[in-house]
């Protein structure tokens, strides 16, 4: 498979060949980045508050408390798992821009009441938020594909957008901490207001229409069924590993007990590792030229972090492992979304399936931890580590070398 080289541009936010002109194109892409930030911030901002929202009295903690914490963590990706392919299928048939803007508005509306509602209603809000996020992130990637004029440009756009998703993971908990200081009874009100502002801005800018450009000749074909299956399994492992670490931070049965502020710090540190991965990939062309080697390296790092995390005896140790896991998971998410998407004419269904695969991992890990016997939580993390190592062995199936002497994308 021959991959065209990355083309350098003066402005990383507005590559050459942008379908919009000048500042108009720059502003529309910046708002698109903020939409991705909003989708992820709406997910991570609430996590540190879940123990308190489930049971305000720390003296009454029980196994039911941990069950609800893990379940509320899982219901968001479970909703995304079901909704993402459906939104992608619909987006291939209607104007995706209307869906994207509507999803942001809904996300803002269901984020605002958190802290003001009873536990059953909180489950409903988390479900609707997951369904909205399942539309925002894939449709933002779809928009980036439609605006790209080369495979290299598409890679840069995907890197910036994926980086924005993880910027939301980094900033969401911090913004929530600032919000609770102002409105203790509604800890996510400022987060909701920020999401609503982005939704309003997205209604004012112009996004590219469907298939605005054709990519360069020689662009690689969409991945085969076998390759797509491997990429989806990698996506599941990456999402499950990080979700298992996040929920482990919230469990009262964990070896190292953390305060809400320490949990928020850990989640933001993980987001920092994710964001650092995107900066790394934005400066190198490994995503296009050697995706196989990149995926293999990050699968190995993820497995190592998952094995070591339950054995951590201090906050410093946990910080190192969660930083490595964040970097690895973010890299794997970028690799899989970029290669599953195919070309600039990427379908919403493929991107929806990839987001759904990420949601499977994010949902199954908390569910497994919720039902795990006391002291058995490390087995969940180690099982995901084993899956990562297994995928490392079968990874060549995703990037087979062509029989001709052409350069391989697998590096």
């Amino acid at each position: 498979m021959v991959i065209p080289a990355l083309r350098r541009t003066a402005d990383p936010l507005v590559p050459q060949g942008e379908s919009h002109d000048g500042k108009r194109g720059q502003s529309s892409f910046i708002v698109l980045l903020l939409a991705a930030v909003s989708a992820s911030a709406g997910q991570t901002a609430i996590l540190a508050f879940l123990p308190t929202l489930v049971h305000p009295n720390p003296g009454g903690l029980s196994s039911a408390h941990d069950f609800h914490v893990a379940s509320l963590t899982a219901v968001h990706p479970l909703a995304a798992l079901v909704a993402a392919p459906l939104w992608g299928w619909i987006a291939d048939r209607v104007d995706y821009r209307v869906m994207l803007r509507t999803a942001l508005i809904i996300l803002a509306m269901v984020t605002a009441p958190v802290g003001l509602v009873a536990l059953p209603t909180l489950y409903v809000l988390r479900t609707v938020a997951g369904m909205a996020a399942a539309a925002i992130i894939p449709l933002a990637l779809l928009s980036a594909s439609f605006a790209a004029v080369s495979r290299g440009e598409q890679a840069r756009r995907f890197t910036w957008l994926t980086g924005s998703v993880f910027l939301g993971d980094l900033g969401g908990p911090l913004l929530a901490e600032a919000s609770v200081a102002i409105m203790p009874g509604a800890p996510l009100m400022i987060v909701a207001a920020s999401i609503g502002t982005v939704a309003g801005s997205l209604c004012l800018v112009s996004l590219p229409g469907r298939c605005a450009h054709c990519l360069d000749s020689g662009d690689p074909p969409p991945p085969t069924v076998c390759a797509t299956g491997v990429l989806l399994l990698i996506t599941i492992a990456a999402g499950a590993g990080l979700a298992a670490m996040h929920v482990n931070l919230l469990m009262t049965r964990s070896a190292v007990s953390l305060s809400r502020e320490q949990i928020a710090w850990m989640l933001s540190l993980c987001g920092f590792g994710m964001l650092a991965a995107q900066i790394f990939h934005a400066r190198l062309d490994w995503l296009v030229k050697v995706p196989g080697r990149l995926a293999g390296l990050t699968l190995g790092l993820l497995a190592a972090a998952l094995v070591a995390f339950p054995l951590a005896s201090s906050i410093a140790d946990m910080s190192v492992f969660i930083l490595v896991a964040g970097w690895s998971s973010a890299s794997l998410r970028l690799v899989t979304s970029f290669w599953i998407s195919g070309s600039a004419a990427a379908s919403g269904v493929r991107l929806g399936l990839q987001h759904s695969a990420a949601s499977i991992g994010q949902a199954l890990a908390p569910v497994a931890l919720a039902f795990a016997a006391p002291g058995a939580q490390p087995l969940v993390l180690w099982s995901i580590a084993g899956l990562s190592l297994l995928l490392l062995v079968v990874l060549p199936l995703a990037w087979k070398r062509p029989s001709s002497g052409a350069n391989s994308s697998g590096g």
Side-chain angles (χ1 to χ4, degrees):
M1 184 182 292
V2 180
I3 306 298
L6 286 171
R7 297 188 305 173
R8 301 293 179 187
T9 59
D11 188 345
L13 288 178
V14 188
Q16 294 175 3
E18 169 68 71
S19 60
H20 300 78
D21 294 326
K23 293 182 178 179
R24 184 185 178 191
Q26 184 179 21
S27 61
S28 64
F29 191 62
I30 289 175
V31 176
L32 198 65
L33 296 177
L34 292 175
V37 171
S38 299
S40 58
Q43 157 68 345
T44 58
I46 192 177
L47 294 182
F49 295 93
L50 287 180
T52 304
L53 292 173
V54 169
H55 201 299
N57 180 16
L61 297 182
S62 64
S63 59
H65 172 274
D66 284 346
F67 173 82
H68 283 298
V69 168
S71 299
L72 283 168
T73 304
V75 72
H76 186 284
L78 277 173
L81 161 66
V82 175
L86 174 62
W87 298 153
W89 182 84
I90 296 174
D92 287 338
R93 289 158 176 80
V94 302
D95 191 339
Y96 79 95
R97 294 169 290 192
V98 176
M99 295 179 59
L100 179 57
R101 290 160 178 154
T102 303
L104 271 170
I105 294 172
I106 293 175
L107 181 61
M109 293 175 62
V110 299
T111 301
V114 169
L116 303 174
V117 299
L119 184 59
T121 306
L122 185 59
Y123 272 98
V124 174
L125 294 179
R126 291 283 291 160
T127 300
V128 177
M131 295 177 67
I136 295 168
I137 295 176
L139 295 184
L141 292 171
L142 193 66
S143 180
S145 290
F146 290 156
V149 295
S150 73
R151 188 65 164 166
E153 181 182 323
Q154 187 185 17
R156 285 188 295 274
R157 288 177 175 275
F158 269 52
T159 302
W160 279 97
L161 273 168
T162 308
S164 297
V165 171
F166 301 132
L167 179 61
D169 290 334
L170 169 64
L174 298 179
L175 184 58
E177 285 297 318
S179 179
V180 75
I182 300 173
M183 303 182 66
L188 300 190
M189 190 62 72
I190 293 180
V191 177
S194 301
I195 296 172
T197 301
V198 174
S201 301
L202 197 64
C203 293
L204 299 177
V205 299
S206 176
L207 298 176
R210 183 171 303 278
C211 199
H213 292 285
C214 294
L215 288 184
D216 297 338
S217 59
D219 189 62
T224 64
V225 174
C226 179
T228 299
V230 174
L231 292 171
L232 290 176
L233 286 173
I234 292 174
T235 305
I236 292 172
L242 207 57
M245 282 192 173
H246 285 174
V247 177
N248 194 267
L249 294 172
L250 308 175
M251 302 290 267
T252 59
R253 292 169 287 178
S254 299
V256 180
S257 180
L258 302 177
S259 67
R260 193 195 73 214
E261 292 78 12
Q262 289 172 327
I263 293 172
W265 158 253
M266 286 288 182
L267 294 173
S268 293
L269 184 63
C270 184
F272 174 79
M274 294 173 164
L275 185 59
Q278 307 312 301
I279 296 174
F280 175 86
H281 296 305
R283 300 183 65 87
L284 298 177
D285 57 4
W286 291 8
L287 177 61
V288 174
K289 291 188 173 180
V290 287
R293 293 180 183 177
L294 175 60
L297 170 66
T298 49
L299 278 170
L301 287 174
L302 178 63
L306 287 169
V307 170
F309 188 75
L311 306 176
S313 58
S314 68
I315 294 178
D317 292 340
M318 294 174 67
S319 299
V320 172
F321 299 141
I322 203 166
L323 186 65
V324 172
W327 193 96
S328 303
S329 179
S331 298
L332 293 170
R333 181 73 179 267
L334 176 60
V335 170
T336 55
S337 64
F338 178 67
W339 282 93
I340 285 176
S341 69
S343 65
S347 73
V349 169
R350 284 203 301 270
L351 286 169
L353 283 174
Q354 194 268 344
H355 188 81
S356 183
S359 300
I360 291 175
Q362 293 168 2
L364 289 182
V367 169
L369 287 168
F371 287 97
Q377 288 86 2
L379 296 178
V380 177
L381 278 75
W382 294 337
S383 297
I384 301 171
L387 173 62
S388 300
L389 293 176
L390 178 62
L391 289 171
L392 181 58
V393 174
V394 302
L395 190 61
L397 294 177
W399 288 285
K400 292 182 179 179
R401 292 183 180 274
S403 57
S404 62
N407 295 332
S408 169
S409 65

